[in-house]
Structures are given as C-alpha cells and as structure tokens.
Amino acid sequence: MDLHFGDSEPTDEERAAVDSLLGPATSAWEGAADRSDTDLRWARGGREARERRDLLLPGLHAVNDRVGWISEGALAYLCRRLTVPPAEAYGVATFYSMFAVKPRPAKVLHVCTDLACAGNGSAKLCADLEERIGAAGSAADGVVWQSSPCLGLCERAPAALVLQAGTPSDTVPAHRDPRLRDAGTAAWASANGSSAEPAPRRQAFAVIAPATVDALVDAAAAPEDAPGEPSAAMAVPQAGQEGLILLRRVGVVDPYSIDDYRTHGGYSALRRAFDIGPAEVIREVTDSGLLGRGGAAFPTGRKWQATASQPDRPHYLVCNADESEPGTFKDRVIMEGDPFALIEAMTIAGYATGAHVGYLYLRGEYPRALHRLENALTQARLRGFLGDDVLGQGYAFDIEIRRGAGAYICGEETALFNSIEGFRGEPRSKPPFPVEKGLFGKPTAANNVETLINVLPILTMGAEAYAAIGTGNSTGPKLFCVSGNVERPGIYELPFGATLGDLLDLAGTPTEIRAILLGGAAGGFVRPDERDIPLTFEGTRAAGTTLGSGVILVMDDTVGLPRTLLRIAEFFRDESCGQCVPCRVGTVRQEEALHRLKDRTGAAASDDIALLREVGQTMRDASICGLGQTAWNAVESAIDRLGAFK
C-alpha cells in the first residue's frame, strides 16, 4: 500500500530547492513541467534515479532548509525525482524531529530541556518563553519554539538554537532578479507591477548559550544579527596548556586556515602513513591499543584490519559525528576548533582500510561545525589533500558530509547506514557485521570523531609512545565532557588512569554533591564519595558503572533526582525508533512507572520498582540495539546506588 498525494505540486521555491541538489528534471517522468513527444514514447532514467536513493535525506534537508517545512507537493516531486515510493519517503521525513510535514514558520527556536540544561534553569526559561511568545509549538510573529533534547552545548547551559529557513547565502531563487535581491519591497513591487513582496529570506542560525529569554526573543527576531558564538576554546578550560595531545590546537590555530593547521603539525601524520603503507598503519593502530571512544570500546586496529581484508569492493569509511548522548559535546568542540584534524584522520583511515569514499555523518543541530567542515573540505581539495591523487601518492579519497536531522538512534552504526542510504534510521540485526556488509552492503569501517583523531598522535609519536600513556588496557588520552553544577564546565583531556576525583578537582565542584552521572543518559550514577573510581574502561567496569562516551554530569542538592530520572525515561521513549517490541513498549512502561514514583517512597514504591526491574531486564536482554539495552541503566543505578525512592 502506498500514499497518494493527488494533484499536489511543488511551489517554485520547493522545486528550486530540490533542483539545486539534483539538477533540473530532464523529463516529465521526473517531474518536468512540460511533457515532450519523447516522454510520451518511453520513460527513461528510472534505474539511475533508484541508484540515487541515498540523496533522499539531503533532498529533504534542501526543502526544509529553504521553506521551513516539507509539503505534500515537495515530497511528491522529490519522490518522482528519485523514484522513491511516497509512503517510504513520508516515513523517512516523519522519522526525524527537525523536519516538519505540516506548515510552520520559517524560524524555529529549539530550547534544550535535557539533563545539563534542566539543572541550570531551562524550566524557567521555557516558562518565560510561554509568556513572551506563547505555548511551545504555537506560532507567533513568524517564530515557533519547541523544547529539544540535548543540543551539545552543555558547557554553556541553558542553551538554545535558532534555525531560519531561506535561500542559501550564495544563491537567489530562480524567479527572483538577482539585481533586486537587496533592493527591498518597494523595488520588487515596482519592477513587477505587482503587490509588494519581501526581500529574499536568507538561511541563518544563531546559537544562544547561556540563554536568557530576552536574548532568545531578540535572536528569534533576527538570527542573522545575533552575537557570534564564542570560540571553541571557550569550551576547553585547559586551552593552551602544555602537554595536551588531542586538544593542543583548539584555540591556538585558525579553524578556517589549512596553512595555520600545517604550521602546527598538520598533515605530518598523513605523510607518515604514506611512507609506511596501509598494512603498517593498521599495525601501528593495533599496537597502540586504541579502543573506540564512542562507548563500545572495540579495538580500532581489529576493525580496520577486518575491513581491509574483505575481498568485496568498494570499501567505505564512515565517521559517526552524530553525538546525541545527553551531556556529550567533545566532538562538536573538535569539529569547530580543529576541523582539519578530522579530515586528515579520515584520510588516513580510508587509506588504511582501502576506502576511496568517506562519509561524515554530522549531527543536524551543529550548523557551525557544518560550516567549518565544509570550508576545511574545500581547502583540502584545493591543496591536494583530498581528491583523485592525494599528495601525489596515487591514492584517491574524498569525503562527503551527510547531515542528520534529529534522531539519537542514528548514533547506532547500522541505523546511521540506513539513514545515509535514504531509509528510516532503524538498526539492523547483526551479523553480518559492518566490516562485512555495512554501508550500501559493502565492507565499512565506522568510527567516531574522538577515535579518529587519536590516530594522528599514534602515527606521529609511534605506537609504543602512545601506548605508554594511560594504563595497560586503556591507552592514550581521553576527552571528558564535564557539565552540570561545576565551576568550570567544558572538555578536559586527561590520560586514562586519572581518577574521578582528579577530574572533579579540575572542574571545581560545589560543597554538596547529590550524584554524578557517568556516560550520559545511557550510563550510570555514582555517589559523591566514589571519587577514587579510575577513569578507565576496566576501572569503571569493575566499579559497576560505565565510562561511555566520557560524560561527567555533576548534580548538586538543588537538582531533583526523581525529575532527572523521569527526564531520562522521557528521552529514551522519544528516541526509540519503535522497531522492536521490548524497546518500543518498555521505554513507555518505564516512563509511566517513574511518573507514579515521583511522589512515592518506601513500601508504596515497591511494586513499581519491581516492575521497573522486570521491564528493564527485558529491554536489556531482548532489544535489538544499544538504545533499548541501556535505557534502564541510569534508573537502575539510581535505585541501587543512590537509594532513590526509599
């Protein structure tokens, strides 16, 4: 069964948005306005269009970015261009929270209400917005605001993001005379002998953090005039200090200059990779003991070797930059402050695994990182660091950015593959594993941003020197995202083996700490007296918790634990893709039980706690992916470790 949009047609603006990505339609079968005699005789281009299914997500972005929402006419036109069944395209468009399929204003204000922001006044901020603008979801003065999961701005909580749809800054709609684009309403009306039409609206964004209601109202009115976001170095309290490895260039180099990057050691690791060859690169990464930094801690060298050894071609490299774990923002800081490092690291990874194309899947809520990465890619291509013959070594490699659109589940690698391919971002069953059949059914190495940038010091220092940092089972430096009720929130770089207390001393903590959340919403709580926990994969495991993605969220006695647990449950309910029953039903039952437990303690809470344990264990044992398997972790640790609801 399929959807039918009837006679819905795209507007000129919607058609221009799609054509800017796919090129003009070449026949009526693709949606061209005029039907030629040739079109009446045969249909052409269907096979080629189906092979472009992976452009569905970029096409949805093109329309949403230009108009602010995706109409039936726009979706129908995009479906014709790509020969995608409308029901499938509608399923993809409605999967992502940043897309809208109903009319809404061109300006959308996203206000974070997740863990770090909730502990720093987001509830009052939302209440003030309701008084000034109206209820969440209602449009007023060309703006609609809505609550949002974590925006990755935890070091400056509470945070908000304004996105304004419009024409890209370097283009003008096809029907608009470019000479009049800045002439204003009167000039346009005079030239056309018609009623006044406003000057072209430009795409714009504004990051407001820490946010106040006055700043939000001003930014929503004119996001292009909002104050610029602070330097990425503002998120790194250690910026400029001696001894940093991963963060040494953040706040030091110009993120827009490839020459500045090279002056500070950039591309020396890639040159060494070419000197020693792909097999030796994998050997160095393996000998270094590098484990994945996204939470699973899988040996990176083994993953690369498994991918490189697959006879099936082509191979692909995927960088997972969709960091959506509440409390996590380290990848954003790297991409904004040292974007060329990620480009270099991806090139090395592609060379080692035999990939000639890399996909960088970037979180949709990171517009500034997008701009800086696009600039970095352009400069790298112009200077020969990407392209058909990288550095004259006969190796071809290029990178394409694919933007997410607000789906936590797409941080799971196989869900990410489906998202890139133009399907709903739902996880796949394993096996087969991505190193055998990943993106487009081909061998794929997928790593997150922090994992990849660790490859640079491995090659410049050597595997032995790198492995000497940290502990025997957790080697190298680690980035930690510290937020919540601390004096100096931000990204900290420490060698594995430092204790939780060491990190808290650097960040400065209040006298009264209620709890510390390690690993984000999918992690676990520890008590404030557990400062001696080693920050290593094996140390946190022995302590009955997890290091996860490196989140350290500190909560003082002003933060209500039951409300925090309820917010975690709401997050997992919202972000469940709904594919498997244990997660789809379990996350709802978990939230319902926590709603009842808000005002219960002792014996009155025992039945619901027993239900939570049963539901949580079912999700852990039977869910298809890590979202459902970890959705109960934080709640369980709060009950067992902190004595919640006693």
Side-chain angles (χ1 to χ4, degrees), residues 568-644:
I568 291 173
E570 291 170 347
F571 172 80
F572 282 113
R573 178 211 63 200
D574 289 342
E575 299 297 341
S576 172
C577 74
Q579 179 181 197
C580 67
V581 173
C583 180
R584 182 175 70 241
V585 177
T587 53
V588 174
R589 296 292 173 262
Q590 177 173 261
E591 183 197 7
E592 291 172 346
L594 287 168
H595 267 294
R596 295 191 294 269
L597 282 168
K598 277 192 307 181
D599 303 314
R600 295 181 183 177
T601 56
S606 59
D607 288 346
D608 279 319
I609 289 177
L611 175 63
L612 279 173
R613 293 189 187 281
E614 182 179 354
V615 169
Q617 194 60 47
T618 300
M619 289 193 291
R620 183 175 291 162
D621 291 342
S623 294
I624 194 172
C625 80
L627 187 151
Q629 293 163 12
T630 60
W632 151 247
N633 284 2
V635 179
E636 179 185 36
S637 65
I639 293 172
D640 294 342
R641 209 164 194 134
L642 304 180

Side-chain angles (χ1 to χ4, degrees), residues 185-450:
T185 300
W188 176 258
S190 174
N192 288 271
S194 61
S195 59
E197 180 176 342
R201 183 184 63 248
R202 301 294 186 186
Q203 290 179 19
F205 70 90
V207 175
I208 308 97
T212 64
V213 68
D214 289 335
L216 292 185
V217 171
D218 291 344
E224 62 275 12
D225 297 330
E229 186 182 2
S231 163
M234 297 291 289
V236 183
Q238 299 167 301
Q241 293 183 12
E242 293 290 331
L244 296 179
I245 297 174
L246 305 179
L247 297 176
R248 67 188 182 92
R249 281 186 291 259
V250 176
V252 176
V253 303
D254 178 358
Y256 289 101
S257 172
I258 194 170
D259 290 325
D260 202 12
Y261 175 69
R262 295 177 65 190
T263 299
H264 290 82
Y267 284 106
S268 58
L270 178 59
R271 293 184 185 280
R272 180 161 190 261
F274 283 136
D275 288 342
I276 63 178
E280 191 62 28
V281 169
I282 293 176
R283 185 190 303 276
E284 286 277 280
V285 173
T286 302
D287 292 347
S288 73
L290 175 64
L291 302 179
R293 301 299 202 244
F298 190 84
T300 304
R302 282 177 54 192
K303 179 183 291 188
W304 287 14
Q305 180 60 52
T307 305
S309 63
Q310 294 296 319
D312 195 12
R313 301 285 169 170
H315 294 178
Y316 290 103
L317 172 74
V318 172
C319 172
N320 184 348
D322 190 51
E323 61 168 1
S324 303
E325 185 71 49
T328 311
F329 51 99
K330 56 188 173 61
D331 292 353
R332 172 184 64 81
V333 173
I334 291 294
M335 290 184 290
E336 291 180 359
D338 197 9
F340 291 101
L342 179 57
I343 305 304
E344 180 183 4
M346 287 185 67
T347 309
I348 294 170
Y351 176 64
T353 58
H356 296 284
V357 177
Y359 287 90
L360 199 167
Y361 190 90
L362 178 64
R363 192 176 181 204
E365 293 89 342
Y366 285 175
R368 189 174 301 276
L370 172 65
H371 287 195
R372 294 188 177 179
L373 286 166
E374 287 177 335
N375 170 75
L377 289 174
T378 299
Q379 291 199 40
R381 293 182 186 115
L382 290 173
R383 302 293 285 274
F385 293 101
L386 290 174
D388 294 335
D389 187 13
V390 178
L391 291 180
Q393 298 293 319
Y395 169 63
F397 184 74
D398 210 340
I399 296 170
E400 183 174 342
I401 297 176
R402 290 294 174 93
R403 294 161 58 199
Y408 171 77
I409 188 62
C410 288
E412 198 279 337
E413 59 186 359
T414 61
L416 186 155
F417 299 157
N418 277 340
S419 181
I420 291 177
E421 291 177 20
F423 298 94
R424 289 168 62 89
E426 296 175 343
R428 305 172 183 173
S429 296
K430 301 175 186 176
F433 294 98
V435 296
E436 301 167 312
K437 291 189 180 297
L439 186 63
F440 304 118
K442 298 298 182 180
T444 304
N447 297 110
N448 81 333
V449 173
E450 185 186 355

